[in-house]
Amino acid sequence: GDSVTQMEGPVTLSEEAFLTINCTYTATGYPSLFWYVQYPGEGLQLLLKATKADDKGSNKGFEATYRKETTSFHLEKGSVQVSDSAVYFCGIMDSWGKFQFGAGTQVVVTP
Amino acid sequence: KAGVTQTPRYLIKTRGQQVTLSCSPISGHRSVSWYQQTPGQGLQFLFEYFSETQRNKGNFPGRFSGRQFSNSRSEMNVSTLELGDSALYLCASSLAIEGGNYGYTFGSGTRLTVV
């Protein structure tokens, strides 16, 4: 079945550092790819998405590109802020609407 | 427009009791999914309902059940609660048109504590 693998956390960074969170997936067909973010005590919020190969999703300075050849959807941000401290989830959705999440990666940004 | 609304936000129950959680999806969304989130197991899929029919189901015991009403609102029920059922229960809604690529919109969750 479909699966998503994310790098384990926590990832600890200083403010203004570059952030990368790796995400790879296995799936049949052509899933849509998503990144969600969860702040403490809250539900998940959609951060960005990409629906076909080579699409780039972007939001709030975060970017991720749908790489079909490497089945990856790595999340990047050029300069993180303390407010970016959260748990980030990579996810895939097949054409039937079935969703699969990765285990989540906690990011801690220190001043 | 209103987001996904989950009630209650917090709940404390005793072992052996049963509990019902409610989720109101975004207007127009016909798919509602439920997830259990715990520190040890992460996000685990419970089930998904679409147009009042359970379309997908995760690997949870029969104590966990759900339903969806004609207005797309959904409830999940857990019977004979165990300590291990303590978790954040998240509901998510989606347009989920076949062949579509819509993501989920999540509610803030219901924090269930079993004592």
Side-chain angles (χ1 to χ4, degrees):
Chain A
D2 295 356
S3 66
V4 178
T5 302
Q6 288 182 237
M7 60 188 292
E8 288 188 23
V11 174
T12 303
L13 304 161
S14 297
E15 212 166 18
E16 299 183 4
F18 185 88
L19 170 69
T20 299
I21 304 176
N22 290 339
C23 171
T24 57
Y25 66 91
T26 57
T28 54
Y30 302 95
S32 296
L33 308 179
F34 301 83
W35 276 101
Y36 281 83
V37 58
Q38 185 177 33
Y39 299 102
E42 298 183 15
L44 277 69
Q45 300 175 27
L46 177 64
L47 183 59
L48 54 84
K49 70 176 183 179
T51 59
K52 60 183 187 296
D54 300 325
D55 265 4
K56 177 185 282 188
S58 61
N59 186 26
K60 299 181 182 180
F62 290 90
E63 291 183 342
T65 301
Y66 192 143
R67 300 289 187 200
K68 189 172 182 303
E69 64 278 10
T70 54
T71 62
S72 64
F73 193 53
H74 305 323
L75 183 68
E76 297 181 337
K77 185 174 185 182
S79 177
V80 293
Q81 305 300 313
V82 172
S83 57
D84 293 325
S85 297
V87 181
Y88 293 81
F89 292 90
C90 183
I92 62 174
M93 176 184 263
D94 65 20
S95 58
W96 295 93
K98 191 171 181 181
F99 214 102
Q100 183 75 42
F101 282 104
T105 302
Q106 183 179 12
V107 172
V108 178
V109 181
T110 58
Chain B
K1 58 182 177 182
V4 177
T5 304
Q6 290 188 247
T7 56
R9 282 298 307 272
Y10 302 93
L11 208 47
I12 299 175
K13 289 287 188 178
T14 305
R15 267 183 307 176
Q17 286 187 311
Q18 67 98 26
V19 67
T20 299
L21 311 182
S22 179
C23 173
S24 294
I26 289 175
S27 177
H29 284 195
R30 292 162 62 191
S31 168
V32 175
S33 296
W34 290 89
Y35 287 83
Q36 182 194 65
Q37 188 178 27
T38 58
Q41 299 296 320
L43 274 167
Q44 294 192 87
F45 173 71
L46 281 154
F47 27 67
E48 184 215 2
Y49 287 87
F50 184 82
S51 293
E52 302 179 64
T53 300
Q54 188 179 87
R55 190 163 68 167
N56 290 300
K57 189 177 188 304
N59 297 321
F60 277 80
R63 299 186 297 107
F64 292 81
S65 63
R67 59 178 175 169
Q68 187 180 32
F69 302 96
S70 59
N71 62 358
S72 293
R73 191 177 71 84
S74 177
E75 290 181 346
M76 69 162 281
N77 184 278
V78 188
S79 61
T80 320
L81 283 166
E82 301 177 358
L83 294 179
D85 297 333
S86 295
L88 180 67
Y89 289 88
L90 291 166
C91 167
S93 75
S94 172
L95 285 172
I97 296 170
E98 181 182 322
N101 48 38
Y102 304 94
Y104 284 171
T105 301
F106 280 84
S108 297
T110 294
R111 172 75 62 186
L112 172 64
T113 302
V114 182
V115 296

